[in-house]
Amino acid sequence: MKNNQLRKHLKFENVHKERLSHYKKILGKCGDHVFFDKNIEVMRYPKNIFIGDNVVIKEGTKICTCNENAKIYIGNNTTIGYHTFLFASDCITIGNDCLVAPFVYIVDSDHTIEKKSLINEQPNMSMPVNIKSDVWLATGAKILKGVNIGQGGIVAAGAVLSSNVAPYQIFGGIPAKKISERK
């Protein structure tokens, strides 16, 4: 297991081993040394969720494949922060060695808004979200449908991202725009 600040202080106790054993039975794939904190919700179609090795999923996270065809992939050595939501109607892919801070929201769908139909009867529109490796999604970032974040990209705290991020670019704001690049 990689030895960063978070992982160095994690205590993989019996309760965590029991949670890991449980998730290995219900998920499509659950790698080795995955740390599941308390109060994690895996919703609807758990067999469509695939988690790599050495992943940390913190308290309050909700991971939902919203239909029988939706998929969620989380790569090796990735950390999912407290109270983060991942909701897939199509596909959400998060690469290796990513940091997803607390209160991040990743969703690959929204609804149409035509006047001729009631809003609660509008069809769902989805497009995959693809997050490459070595990406940091800072606290409270919102990642919307169809977004691709390149290798090493960063999305600043509180940003609402509806456009693509090229490798090593830093995006921030509402709506998120390029503000810098990693050096």
Side-chain angles (χ1 to χ4, degrees), residues 6-156:
L6 169 70
R7 286 173 173 80
K8 186 163 73 171
H9 298 287
L10 278 181
K11 291 186 171 115
F12 211 96
E13 298 172 349
N14 284 339
V15 67
H16 301 107
K17 292 175 185 172
E18 290 170 12
R19 289 181 192 140
L20 177 58
S21 176
H22 166 73
Y23 285 111
K24 280 187 177 278
K25 292 175 189 167
I26 68 166
L27 297 178
K29 177 190 178 232
C30 182
D32 293 328
H33 305 307
V34 177
F35 182 92
F36 289 96
D37 211 346
K38 61 186 175 184
N39 301 323
I40 308 266
E41 288 187 57
V42 174
M43 302 159 63
R44 297 193 187 160
Y45 299 92
K47 288 290 183 197
N48 294 351
I49 299 169
F50 306 89
I51 299 174
D53 296 332
N54 305 317
V55 171
V56 175
I57 302 177
K58 300 299 282 182
E59 180 179 359
T61 295
K62 295 181 188 299
I63 303 172
C64 181
T65 44
C66 298
N67 62 63
E68 63 277 356
N69 298 314
K71 304 273 191 276
I72 295 177
Y73 300 92
I74 300 172
N76 299 331
N77 306 309
T78 288
T79 299
I80 306 295
Y82 293 101
H83 306 287
T84 289
F85 291 5
L86 287 81
F87 283 81
S89 292
D90 188 326
C91 185
I92 295 172
T93 302
I94 302 174
N96 298 325
D97 303 300
C98 292
L99 295 176
V100 179
F103 301 102
V104 169
Y105 184 74
I106 304 171
V107 63
D108 69 357
S109 67
D110 61 16
H111 298 274
T112 59
I113 56 170
E114 297 175 6
K115 273 194 327 189
K116 64 183 178 181
S117 298
L118 296 172
I119 200 71
N120 64 355
E121 295 175 356
Q122 298 284 332
N124 195 26
M125 304 294 293
S126 61
M127 292 173 56
V129 170
N130 188 13
I131 300 167
K132 297 292 187 185
S133 296
D134 188 31
V135 167
W136 176 24
L137 305 178
T139 300
K142 311 288 188 279
I143 311 303
L144 304 181
K145 77 173 193 232
V147 166
N148 294 295
I149 301 175
Q151 173 87 15
I154 295 174
V155 180

